Amino acid sequence: MDDSLDLEFSVTYRHRIFFTEHAFASGNRVLADLFAGAKVIPIVDSGLASARPGFVAEITAYGKAMGVHFTRTPLVLTGGEAAKKDSAVVKAALAAIEADKICRHSYVLAIGGGAFLDAVGFAAATAHRGVRLVRMPTTTLGQGDAGVGVKNGINTFGKKNFTGAFVVPAAVVNDLGLLASLDARGLRDGLVEAVKVSLLKDPVFFSNLEKESTLLAAGDIPAIGRAIRRSAELHARHIAGNGDPFELGSARPLDLGHWAAHKLESMTNHRLTHGEAVAVGLALDILCARDLGYFGQEEAERTLNLLTALGFRTYAPEMHLDGGIPMLAGLEEFREHLGGQLTLVLPTAIGKSIQVHEMATAIVRRATDELRTRDQQTCAARS
């Protein structure tokens, strides 16, 4: 006789995001209250440590002043995309977690850019099948999007984020003061995700980005803080409220422009940052949506103009490499990442979108050609 059990249960998650300035200043209780006597291993992005001399000592001094039980002087590991290119950072973080006897009642405090948080987060997710992680994103991209998400991972087999996990962090602490160490390129990078999420979800936010584009392009920290705060909120609310936070379906509803962006990052050997690649991918999807009849010409121009006003280029020569065939392969790689049918999100209006399940090669080629022409015209006008 056949016998089986078919049980269903749910788990409730709490996604906490704190917004502060100068988190390691004596008297700022955000981190002290979060950790509340637990053991904490602090792990810092090497790029941040180099850009902010004395930052490691500042963390140590905060622990002593505020009674936070840091298990060691902050461990500094490789940051940037290099953190994800292999398992070295993950292994180093795991070794430190084991050496410091970090358990499920302890914390890993990861401080750095989005790629660094991905790698250290993956280590935390696999140690003891998951120890508590507090993320402190230090880039605009991390504070507005990647750092407030529920994903981690590293690149393997030449594929972005092939190895990783979905884990809700114990908390995310966005410290606006940490953005001061970024150069102009770093400050700009995360703004593209603000453009993307506003285009998909919030026309008022989109208009505000247009109004503040001059300030944003100039690196005005208060203006950038406003943009990042709203971007983080929209991304986090989508994760908490859309019904598929761990992407069990075939769609990634906030990944407008990302099929091309992920391919361009690898094709350019990360000459393009993630934000720069998303700007190109976003422009490509905008023109495809327009040519398919989903998105109006005026709205497409507004979006392209906003990207340009913020300082992004909307074309990369690699898009035409070998007749565009490698670029087009990004569509299948994007589908393969989740499985199921190809699902792309395209805008139908500013603040609205639709999911489509096919993208004709001719449409992509035509949009790519137009972006090249636009880029040539822009470069000629500037020279």
Side-chain angles (χ1 to χ4, degrees):
M1 185 177 99
D2 293 334
D3 189 18
S4 67
L5 286 172
D6 187 352
L7 308 176
E8 183 174 330
F9 63 93
S10 60
V11 179
T12 300
Y13 292 94
R14 186 182 185 191
H15 195 21
R16 296 182 294 171
I17 304 170
F18 297 87
F19 299 89
T20 188
E21 287 192 59
H22 310 300
F24 291 106
S26 180
N28 188 320
R29 294 208 55 85
V30 171
L31 290 171
D33 290 344
L34 267 175
F35 297 135
K39 290 199 300 184
V40 185
I41 179 170
I43 307 179
V44 177
D45 185 317
S46 61
L48 176 65
S50 297
R52 295 176 66 98
F55 183 59
V56 167
E58 185 181 341
I59 295 170
T60 300
Y62 178 84
K64 292 178 180 178
M66 302 299 290
V68 177
H69 183 189
F70 289 134
T71 57
R72 63 169 69 199
T73 298
L75 174 65
V76 178
L77 297 177
T78 301
E81 284 298 326
K84 296 180 61 158
K85 70 177 183 179
D86 55 34
S87 61
V89 169
V90 174
K91 289 179 178 178
L94 282 170
I97 289 168
E98 191 280 330
D100 290 13
K101 308 303 179 188
I102 298 298
C103 67
R104 293 183 187 178
H105 299 281
S106 309
Y107 290 89
V108 172
L109 172 61
I111 310 170
F116 182 79
L117 298 182
D118 269 358
V120 176
F122 183 44
T126 51
H128 298 298
R129 298 192 178 98
V131 297
R132 292 186 287 190
L133 173 72
V134 171
R135 292 178 180 157
M136 288 192 71
T138 59
T139 63
T140 53
L141 192 62
Q143 292 193 6
D145 177 15
V148 301
V150 296
K151 296 185 280 190
N152 60 59
I154 59 174
N155 307 334
T156 46
F157 304 110
K159 296 178 180 178
K160 188 175 177 72
N161 298 323
F162 183 84
T163 306
F166 285 94
V167 179
V168 180
V172 179
V173 178
N174 272 354
D175 181 350
L176 187 63
L178 292 176
L179 301 183
S181 59
L182 297 175
D183 60 15
R185 191 183 190 191
L187 282 172
R188 179 176 60 241
D189 219 34
L191 296 177
V192 73
E193 296 287 1
V195 174
K196 175 211 71 180
V197 76
S198 69
L199 182 61
L200 292 172
K201 288 186 170 291
D202 189 344
V204 174
F205 183 31
F206 187 93
S207 295
N208 288 340
L209 292 173
E210 289 179 308
K211 293 173 184 175
E212 298 212 299
S213 60
T214 300
L215 286 173
L216 292 167
D220 183 83
I221 294 294
I224 289 173
R226 289 190 290 274
I228 294 308
R229 172 66 173 79
R230 182 58 177 159
S231 178
E233 180 181 0
L234 289 170
H235 279 95
R237 288 191 181 279
H238 175 84
I239 292 167
N242 84 321
D244 191 19
F246 296 162
E247 296 176 0
L248 298 177
S250 299
R252 290 184 284 184
L254 293 189
D255 273 2
L256 174 65
H258 280 61
W259 74 266
H262 289 169
K263 190 62 179 176
L264 280 170
E265 286 181 81
S266 61
M267 288 177 66
T268 64
N269 196 26
H270 298 286
R271 172 181 63 81
L272 294 181
T273 65
H274 179 68
E276 290 165 345
V278 170
V280 176
L282 186 56
L284 182 63
D285 276 358
I286 291 301
L287 293 186
C288 289
R290 181 203 63 188
D291 290 350
L292 287 167
Y294 295 125
F295 202 50
Q297 176 68 32
E298 180 182 349
E299 292 165 315
E301 293 296 333
R302 283 180 66 188
T303 307
L304 294 174
N305 288 340
L306 177 55
L307 290 172
T308 301
L310 293 174
F312 292 105
R313 288 186 68 178
T314 55
Y315 173 74
E318 288 83 358
M319 299 172 82
H320 277 92
L321 183 68
D322 294 334
I325 293 174
M327 180 71 193
L328 286 164
L331 282 167
E332 172 57 19
E333 291 176 14
F334 191 78
R335 184 207 65 78
E336 184 186 67
H337 187 62
L338 292 188
Q341 64 183 151
L342 175 67
T343 303
L344 302 173
V345 60
L346 294 176
T348 57
I350 294 175
K352 297 181 180 180
S353 62
I354 190 174
Q355 291 181 4
V356 300
H357 302 293
E358 59 183 6
M359 180 63 73
T361 297
I363 293 287
V364 178
R365 290 187 184 277
R366 185 160 66 243
T368 303
D369 289 344
E370 181 176 337
L371 289 176
R372 177 170 59 183
T373 299
R374 285 172 174 264
D375 187 68
Q376 291 170 342
Q377 292 171 345
T378 299
C379 291
R382 288 174 177 170
S383 62

